[in-house]
Amino acid sequence: ADGSPATAPQPMVTLPVSYSASAVSAGFSPLVAACRSNGVVQALWVAAAGSGGSWITYLGIILCRDGTGTGPANPLAFGVAPTGGAGLNVTCPGGFDAIRGEESAMGQTLLPITALSFRCSTTNAWSSSVGSGDAGVARNATVSACPPGYVIYGFNLMGNASTLGGIQPLCVLKPGSKNWDPVKRCPQAAGYTLVPGWYPAGPTTLYTMAALPPWVDVDIAATACRADPSCTSIGYSVDSFGNTTFYTYNSTDPAEFGVAMGKTLYTGVDGCSGTLAPTTWAGGPSQWFCATGVRTDASALSTTSVVGPNDCATACDSDPNCESWTMDASGTTCTTREYGFAATQWVDDSSTGVTCVIANDPWLCPVYGWTFRGALLNSSIHVNPETCKAACAFAAPDCTHYTYTSATLVCELYGSSLMSGGAGINGPVVASIPDRVCVATPQHPK
């Protein structure tokens, strides 16, 4: 069900992220500096000028994997090279896989990207930063990283004759690397929520499943955890070769997880290693995600007369084969159904009061091939689906659901309702199928 990973060269997130480079560079002019044949950038020369070296005035690719670099016949550079070799020379034979810079914080004067540094893919070490910025303006650090196994082959450089205003890395699969699907690197398991980059304070490891074949089903670890009453969560890590390791913990504090889930915006760049913490209502009734005025034609299990929606929910909960239920507009007829997401779409129907599906977790993600209707708020590049999810959860107040496509690394955030009258369909599609589609449920802290 998981889609194919990206294979073509990938443009990544542009820095600055929160505003356009054209807004800070009078006489704005874009420039592409890239190694030919999408070769790997192995060495860079970066320099800054202005008061105290505030702003980036030169960035040149001085060595590509094929031996080419800046020169009269191959000007892979922005700006004019400083005299006397001033600036910073950065070398990484294996190629760079991320850039980091600082941009003006919200409410501050918009200024060019500064404090620019580069990460070497073979050592994970960041270079020294170049550019000091304006001391009177608060700034935020932002990162743009290649997908795992990719390295930088060039840049889209945006600025004017004197200052680099923005930069976008262009990434390509590193020679000899395995092209791991970002959706597979970020597993999902019913009853658990993945929080990348977060681990319980002082976890006790009960047992470890290591050196497993790449992309072992996360349900193996989830089943093992459920079978052990002392297991409270699952630690997860994945290396650059795709090998996964699961750790089971017995010391996760639910309140601690709640804080991490509700307040921590994941901004890491190294995949989805973190913690799968349980999110189901242990021993309690199922929770539901409901849409009014739409009908599902999933196979019916039973049709009964009820007093209200609570009775209908109880009827479904008492049948282990029931995943969804519908109630008519009068609120007196309940139909329990076998599937939440069937082969047919949910259709607008004024005679249907509500359709509800089991949704115990903060995110409800239907089977591969399904989409939800809504209004597109934003479309951007994300290295993995977890940063896309975080953008919907914490960076876009109006976001109700998101889609993520591995082949293009495109994250789309949607708002508006899944109810009747919305744009698009709630149902299966046969073309342009996202690899992950998830909607925030009432269990989500949004």
Side-chain angles (χ1 to χ4, degrees), residues 52-81:
S54 302
W55 313 112
I56 308 298
T57 55
Y58 178 79
L59 191 154
I61 299 173
I62 58 176
L63 182 63
C64 297
R65 189 168 182 262
D66 63 0
T68 60
T70 55
N74 194 27
L76 304 181
F78 170 88
V80 179

Side-chain angles (χ1 to χ4, degrees), residues 292-317:
T292 59
V294 295
R295 185 190 77 246
T296 172
D297 292 323
S299 300
L301 297 171
S302 67
T303 299
T304 57
S305 295
V306 294
V307 175
N310 288 339
D311 287 351
C312 198
T314 300
C316 185
D317 220 18

